[in-house]
């Protein structure tokens, strides 16, 4: 079984700065990894999570891991979780919640660039993952299954079967403990492992080999998608825009990959299609660390950033006794006798209406912004100046005829000044 050791040595390379943390349950696969990495002389530590689910068996798993690490001079980090109590308060699927707890713990050790987390999944795990993801309609990303190296996680045993790993353990006198819960068919993966796949392999002896060939093909396709969509995702994050030309050119798999690279929920796939044919200004709320919504504009999607509290600019009011020869949209002159109450500035809101100078009747502020072709994503920033009864000025756009100045008397000059 020297080929297993040789493969892992070549897989890890010769980088003395790297520190490898093996996720070790005490089972045969992870104990073999600990044995080989120690034998290769690389910097190795161990991470063990004790969920305290199997009573004495859980304690013995932890004791074995700690004892072997002590004998080899390896640092063992142990996290103990009363998982029954955890599930009682949080709910959820046991295996899925255990995975979340485990990976959250692992992430604590990935903060340094030199650290890699080494996982013990092998070829049999890959085949099981393929069928589980196939049943969930997981798409190309799901059918690509587990990568040998991804986001700081290493899986050097993926080319080897469970039998090969176990044989190595026997030949090299590696000590391990069996998890009796693996024999229970209560969970989907165990039923697949213990019942469905053995029956399929009896009928199709080459099943495992064929699936692994497919996985490799899907991984190659997934890699191509990642390379192709990366520049588009980076452009969206930088410009906050995705043009309809770009969007319409994407096939279904490319759109799914773009959504993944943008860290948006997979369910957004169908929502994007609806937003594409929606009316201009339609908004799609989203949960994202950088975006709070996606807005349909004339020719693109706009990814709106979360706007914190914005301090309004100050309104400067000054008495003047003459008017300029040329008026601009950056200032307003009003007749003080036409003002009712206090003059103030605020953001506009839906339903706001004013009586623009030079036209009869009134007009919605929203229509003024539309006519000015202000993008929907920028409209929330529009300011209006008002008194207690009416809007006097849609700042930078138009003024009201209801408070226009007279040439023969004192007037008020209104200017907006940034704080």
């Amino acid at each position: 079984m020297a080929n297993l050791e040789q493969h892992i040595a070549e897989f890890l390379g010769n980088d003395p700065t790297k520190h490898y943390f093996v996720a070790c349950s005490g089972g045969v696969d992870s104990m073999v990894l600990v044995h080989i990495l120690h034998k290769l002389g690389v910097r190795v530590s161990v991470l063990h999570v004790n969920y305290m689910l199997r009573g004495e068996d859980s304690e013995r798993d932890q004791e074995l891991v700690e004892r072997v690490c002590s004998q080899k001079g390896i640092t063992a980090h142990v996290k103990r979780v009363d998982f029954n109590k955890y599930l009682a308060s949080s709910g959820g699927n046991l295996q899925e919640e255990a995975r979340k707890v485990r990976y959250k713990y692992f992430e604590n050790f990935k903060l340094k660039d030199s650290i890699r987390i080494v996982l013990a999944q092998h070829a049999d795990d890959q085949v099981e993952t393929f069928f589980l993801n196939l049943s969930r309609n997981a798409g190309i990303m799901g059918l690509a299954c587990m990568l040998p190296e991804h986001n700081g996680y290493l899986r050097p045993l993926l080319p080897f079967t469970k039998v090969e790993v176990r044989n190595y353990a026997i030949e090299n006198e590696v000590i391990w403990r069996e998890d009796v819960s693996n024999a229970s068919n209560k969970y989907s993966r165990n039923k697949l492992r213990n019942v469905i796949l053995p029956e399929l392999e009896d009928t199709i002896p080459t099943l495992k080999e064929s699936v692994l060939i497919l996985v490799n093909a899907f991984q190659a396709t997934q890699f191509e998608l990642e390379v192709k969509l990366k520049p588009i995702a980076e452009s969206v994050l930088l410009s906050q825009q995705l043009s309809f030309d770009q969007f319409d050119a994407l096939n279904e798999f490319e759109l799914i990959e773009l959504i993944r690279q943008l860290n948006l929920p997979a369910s957004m796939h169908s929502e994007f299609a609806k937003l594409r044919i929606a009316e201009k200004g339609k908004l799609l709320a989203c949960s994202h660390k950088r975006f709070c919504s996606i807005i349909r504009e004339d020719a693109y999607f706009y990814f709106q950033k979360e706007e914190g509290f914005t301090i309004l600019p100050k309104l400067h009011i000054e008495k003047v006794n003459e008017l300029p020869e040329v008026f601009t949209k950056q200032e307003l002159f009003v007749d003080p006798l036409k003002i009712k109450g206090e003059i103030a500035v605020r953001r506009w809101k839906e339903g706001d209406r004013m009586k623009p100078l030079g036209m009869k009747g009134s007009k919605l502020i929203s229509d003024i912004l539309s006519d000015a072709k202000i993008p929907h994503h920028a409209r929330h920033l529009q300011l209006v100046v008002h008194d207690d009864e009416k809007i006097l000025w849609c700042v930078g756009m138009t003024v009201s005829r209801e408070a226009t100045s007279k040439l023969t008397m004192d007037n008020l000059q209104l200017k907006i000044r940034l704080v």
Side-chain angles (χ1 to χ4, degrees):
M1 299 302 293
N3 61 333
L4 201 157
E5 293 177 5
Q6 181 180 351
H7 168 79
I8 293 179
E10 293 173 354
F11 181 86
L12 297 181
N14 185 23
D15 188 347
T17 67
K18 290 291 185 290
H19 190 167
Y20 301 99
F21 283 68
V22 179
C24 184
S25 65
V28 61
D29 312 319
S30 55
M31 293 301 286
V32 162
L33 265 184
V34 172
H35 176 88
I36 293 176
L37 265 63
H38 178 259
K39 186 175 181 180
L40 293 176
V42 299
R43 293 175 65 201
V44 58
S45 295
V46 160
L47 303 175
H48 177 78
V49 180
N50 183 349
Y51 298 102
M52 303 165 66
L53 285 170
R54 295 178 291 113
E56 190 62 28
D57 280 335
S58 292
E59 298 306 313
R60 289 178 180 175
D61 290 347
Q62 178 180 331
E63 289 171 5
L64 172 65
V65 171
E66 291 179 320
R67 184 173 75 251
V68 169
C69 286
S70 177
Q71 292 169 351
K72 296 179 181 295
I74 296 173
T75 300
H77 302 269
V78 175
K79 179 178 179 65
R80 294 175 62 86
V81 184
D82 188 338
F83 210 66
N84 282 320
K85 184 182 293 185
Y86 174 90
L87 282 179
S89 61
S90 66
N93 174 274
L94 186 147
Q95 288 194 323
E96 183 59 31
E97 292 302 314
R99 183 183 184 280
K100 289 178 183 178
V101 168
R102 184 165 64 248
Y103 275 83
K104 185 176 180 180
Y105 178 56
F106 296 163
E107 289 293 322
N108 293 330
F109 295 87
K110 281 180 58 189
L111 298 177
K112 293 183 179 179
D113 292 338
S114 61
I115 290 177
R116 297 292 182 271
I117 308 297
V118 188
L119 307 176
Q121 286 109 339
H122 45 65
D124 292 36
D125 294 319
Q126 191 79 299
V127 172
E128 293 165 13
T129 300
F130 176 85
F131 280 104
L132 286 172
N133 288 347
L134 183 66
S135 69
R136 296 166 183 158
N137 193 25
I140 290 178
M141 183 67 180
L143 298 181
C145 299
M146 297 175 286
L147 297 172
E149 181 172 359
H150 187 64
N151 286 341
Y153 290 95
L154 307 180
R155 297 179 176 88
L157 294 181
L158 281 182
F160 301 93
T161 65
K162 179 78 170 182
V163 170
E164 289 175 305
V165 175
R166 184 180 288 266
N167 286 343
Y168 177 93
I170 294 171
E171 291 176 15
N172 291 271
E173 299 181 344
V174 175
I175 305 172
W176 77 88
R177 282 181 53 79
E178 294 288 354
D179 184 346
V180 293
S181 67
N182 288 334
S184 169
N185 295 327
K186 177 181 177 182
Y187 304 107
S188 299
R189 183 178 285 272
N190 286 4
K191 188 174 183 180
L192 184 66
R193 174 187 300 154
N194 300 329
V195 179
I196 299 174
L197 286 179
E199 290 181 358
L200 283 173
E201 288 184 83
D202 284 343
T203 306
I204 313 171
T206 59
L207 177 71
K208 190 177 298 181
E209 180 183 350
S210 299
V211 167
L212 292 175
I213 290 173
L214 280 175
V215 168
N216 287 335
F218 281 120
Q219 286 183 353
T221 302
Q222 177 62 28
F223 178 75
E224 292 173 1
L225 285 173
E226 289 178 3
V227 171
K228 180 177 181 178
L229 275 300
K230 184 179 179 181
I232 299 177
E234 290 176 343
S235 174
V236 170
L237 293 172
L238 184 64
S239 69
Q240 298 175 241
Q241 296 183 17
L242 174 64
S243 73
F244 290 162
D245 286 343
Q246 288 177 307
F247 177 82
D248 294 342
L250 299 176
N251 62 38
E252 182 176 1
F253 298 121
E254 290 168 343
L255 177 57
I256 290 172
E257 175 59 22
L258 177 61
I259 290 171
R260 187 188 72 82
Q261 290 195 24
L262 292 175
N263 290 318
L264 292 167
S267 59
M268 293 287 285
H269 173 266
S270 60
E271 297 302 321
F272 265 108
K274 295 176 185 176
L275 191 62
R276 176 65 179 88
I277 60 176
E279 63 184 11
K280 185 174 61 175
K282 184 70 174 178
L283 180 147
L284 174 63
C286 63
S287 176
H288 192 276
K289 63 181 180 180
R290 295 180 64 175
F291 308 125
C292 61
S293 60
I294 302 169
I295 303 171
R296 188 202 191 281
E297 297 290 0
D298 271 330
Y300 57 91
F301 296 116
Y302 185 82
F303 292 74
Q304 181 75 55
K305 287 185 178 179
E306 188 73 57
E307 296 283 351
F309 176 75
T310 303
I311 299 175
L312 288 173
K314 287 186 176 180
L315 178 63
H316 179 73
I317 304 175
E318 182 179 351
K319 286 184 179 181
V320 295
N321 53 23
E322 60 182 37
L323 298 176
E325 293 184 7
V326 179
F327 291 92
T328 72
K329 294 182 179 180
Q330 308 311 314
E331 58 185 358
L332 174 64
F333 295 88
V334 298
D335 182 347
L337 298 178
K338 297 179 181 180
I339 301 301
K340 303 298 181 183
E342 297 293 323
I343 300 177
V345 61
R346 63 169 171 80
R347 306 285 183 199
W348 81 287
K349 58 181 182 289
E350 286 294 337
D352 276 350
R353 183 180 290 272
M354 66 179 296
K355 295 180 180 180
L357 185 65
M359 68 167 284
K360 293 182 179 180
S362 63
K363 192 170 186 177
L364 288 168
I365 298 296
S366 58
D367 290 339
I368 293 173
L369 298 177
S370 293
D371 291 345
K373 301 190 183 304
I374 304 299
H376 284 78
H377 68 264
R379 295 184 184 185
H380 69 290
L381 298 173
Q382 180 61 44
L383 299 172
V384 292
V385 173
H386 63 94
D387 64 12
D388 291 352
E389 291 186 352
K390 56 191 173 294
I391 292 177
L392 306 171
W393 185 17
C394 181
V395 177
M397 299 287 169
T398 188
V399 300
S400 171
R401 65 177 184 271
E402 291 190 286
T404 51
S405 301
K406 293 181 180 180
L407 298 176
T408 58
M409 63 175 294
D410 290 342
N411 295 286
L412 297 179
Q413 180 192 51
L414 311 182
K415 281 187 177 182
I416 297 293
R417 289 183 177 174
L418 297 177
V419 177

